[in-house]
Amino acid sequence: MKMKLIGFAVATAFAATAGVASAQTVVKIGHVAPLTGGIAHLGKDNEFGGRLAIEELNAKGLTIGGNKIKFELVAEDDAADPKQGTAAAQKLVDSGVAGVVGHLNSGTSIPAARIYSNAGIPQISPSSTAPSYTKQGFKTTFRVVANDGQLGGTLGRYAVNELKAKSIAVIDDRTAYGQGVADEFEKAVKAAGGKIVGREFTNDKATDFSAILTKLKGVKPDVVFYGGMDAVAGPMMRQMKQLGIDAKFMGGDGICTGEMAKLAGDAIGEGKVICAEAGGITPDKAAGIEDFKKRFKSKFGIDVQLYAPYVYDAVNTMVAAMQKADSTDPKKYLPELAKISYEGITGTISFDQYGDMKNASLTLYTYKGGKKEQMMVVK
């Protein structure tokens, strides 16, 4: 068997401790996210969550398989591009990682999953929500957040049942994530008896939305749903305001970020945006999350954007499976990962037969005073 498929790199150092030599094993955990491009701020947020987990694990001095373990995070940039994502995945496999936490986007996680599966390396995405990510049939594929069926469905029902929206327009960015969450939103709106008055699309690099927004202005929507990320959603809201489109703005976790208010400027309004994060912090976990946020800011000098806590939990869940198996060999710890129940800072992490979260929760947010404000946690 080639060394790259063994799943960990070993650096042996002998240190005399009470006359006994002990071996140290360096275990590489891969992380992939966009570190360049329009959503690099979210990619760095994810990476920092992983780095904090690795630092704290190393401080514990864990022993697995009779060896003292030193974990190392190997970070790669996929620029939210599927081709670059598969190249990054292959690079991590070739470097001998024991597991991968990533990718951030569904559009990169989906094609990369096959590469990890072929190598037998577990992949836990902290933020990919497209249902098709876990429906490819790979035993190595997991996620620690809800999927788009849950997320888009909850938002669609909320638009009809709570906002009492009469005319709803939908825009998506044609990515696996954006189109997927928009499709699920539209399905839920129709199932709840709501009316879709327009469906338009843009792309994840666009900056001018005048054509599609002018078209939608003519159908007078009271809600506009956008399937995509904050880097596009913010400027889109600015242009909606310029055109006089006075509608609630809804979206999934891609727009539910700390940066969204800055990107949208004064168009963010007060309670105008309603978005959902594909995870939910119940009251019993609130103190733990606040403590995490403080440690995060102390370490990196910036606030948590969105999914850093889920990356942190994904790394710790992977290592907990290694501890249960008493091995960092992917083939040995993968069965433990599949059946794990890990109490993380974001909640209890356990997986169904597809690698999806059992009993996943969602959190609805709005923006007031230029800051993200929690509305409710729903299951």
Side-chain angles (χ1 to χ4, degrees):
M1 181 181 289
K2 292 182 179 179
M3 180 60 83
K4 69 178 183 181
L5 297 185
I6 292 176
F8 57 89
V10 180
T12 306
F14 292 98
T17 306
V20 180
S22 63
Q24 185 181 68
T25 302
V26 175
V27 178
K28 296 179 182 179
I29 294 177
H31 178 268
V32 194
L35 304 178
T36 54
I39 57 170
H41 57 290
L42 299 181
K44 290 304 291 185
D45 184 59
N46 275 22
E47 182 189 327
F48 287 162
R51 292 204 178 281
L52 186 57
I54 293 291
E55 181 179 284
E56 292 179 1
L57 284 164
N58 284 338
K60 293 178 182 177
L62 300 180
T63 298
I64 299 175
N67 292 320
K68 187 176 179 182
I69 300 297
K70 181 183 178 184
F71 293 100
E72 178 184 323
L73 193 76
V74 183
E76 293 293 337
D77 174 20
D78 65 13
D81 176 73
K83 287 185 180 178
Q84 195 164 323
T86 53
Q90 191 60 56
K91 186 176 178 181
L92 287 176
V93 168
D94 292 344
S95 73
V97 294
V100 174
V101 173
H103 300 205
L104 187 153
N105 307 79
S106 296
T108 53
S109 283
I110 291 167
R114 181 176 297 277
I115 293 169
Y116 301 130
S117 175
N118 289 342
I121 294 172
Q123 172 193 12
I124 305 177
S125 175
S127 47
S128 295
T129 54
S132 55
Y133 165 60
T134 51
K135 295 299 189 288
Q136 298 179 93
F138 302 139
K139 300 296 184 186
T140 50
T141 303
F142 304 88
R143 70 171 125 224
V144 292
V145 289
N147 65 35
D148 287 338
Q150 298 162 303
L151 193 146
T154 295
L155 288 168
R157 289 187 294 274
Y158 190 89
V160 176
N161 299 329
E162 304 301 324
L163 297 181
K164 307 298 181 187
K166 303 298 182 189
S167 54
I168 300 169
V170 178
I171 307 170
D172 74 74
D173 68 358
R174 296 283 108 167
T175 64
Y177 162 68
Q179 186 173 350
V181 74
D183 287 347
E184 294 296 338
F185 173 84
E186 183 173 335
K187 273 196 285 185
V189 165
K190 290 177 178 177
K195 184 180 180 183
I196 301 293
V197 295
R199 177 77 187 252
E200 301 293 331
F201 64 89
T202 180
N203 66 71
D204 61 349
K205 307 287 191 302
T207 56
D208 181 10
F209 316 101
S210 55
I212 59 174
L213 291 178
T214 299
K215 188 175 178 182
L216 290 178
K217 184 180 178 180
V219 296
K220 298 179 179 177
D222 45 21
V223 167
V224 173
F225 179 91
Y226 175 61
M229 307 300 286
D230 61 359
V232 171
M236 184 181 289
M237 284 198 75
R238 289 176 185 264
Q239 290 177 37
M240 283 174 60
K241 184 175 182 181
Q242 289 166 4
L243 288 168
I245 299 174
D246 186 24
K248 292 276 190 184
F249 192 83
M250 299 186 75
D253 48 340
I255 77 163
C256 222
T257 69
E259 199 74 7
M260 179 64 183
K262 297 176 191 172
L263 292 163
D266 61 1
I268 198 78
E270 292 292 305
K272 192 179 190 73
V273 175
I274 295 167
C275 58
E277 183 179 304
I281 308 305
T282 51
D284 60 306
K285 292 290 181 183
I289 284 291
E290 286 308 309
D291 184 56
F292 170 82
K293 288 178 178 178
K294 287 176 185 174
R295 300 198 313 275
F296 186 95
K297 188 161 188 178
S298 175
K299 174 71 178 172
F300 304 110
I302 56 174
D303 291 323
V304 168
Q305 279 287 324
L306 185 60
Y307 281 124
Y310 298 92
V311 181
Y312 180 88
D313 270 357
V315 171
N316 279 294
T317 300
M318 187 174 279
V319 172
M322 293 177 185
Q323 289 178 286
K324 284 183 175 292
D326 198 29
S327 175
T328 57
D329 183 337
K331 288 181 181 174
K332 293 180 179 176
Y333 84 79
L334 177 59
E336 294 295 338
L337 183 60
K339 64 185 180 183
I340 203 160
S341 179
Y342 176 76
E343 202 61 38
I345 60 169
T346 61
T348 303
I349 295 170
S350 58
F351 307 108
D352 65 14
Q353 69 269 35
Y354 301 108
D356 282 319
M357 279 280 286
K358 291 180 182 176
N359 302 313
S361 55
L362 299 163
T363 309
L364 295 184
Y365 289 92
T366 189
Y367 290 80
K368 291 183 179 177
K371 296 191 183 223
K372 194 164 94 168
E373 185 176 293
Q374 184 173 319
M375 295 168 64
M376 67 182 77
V377 175
V378 293
K379 286 282 189 181

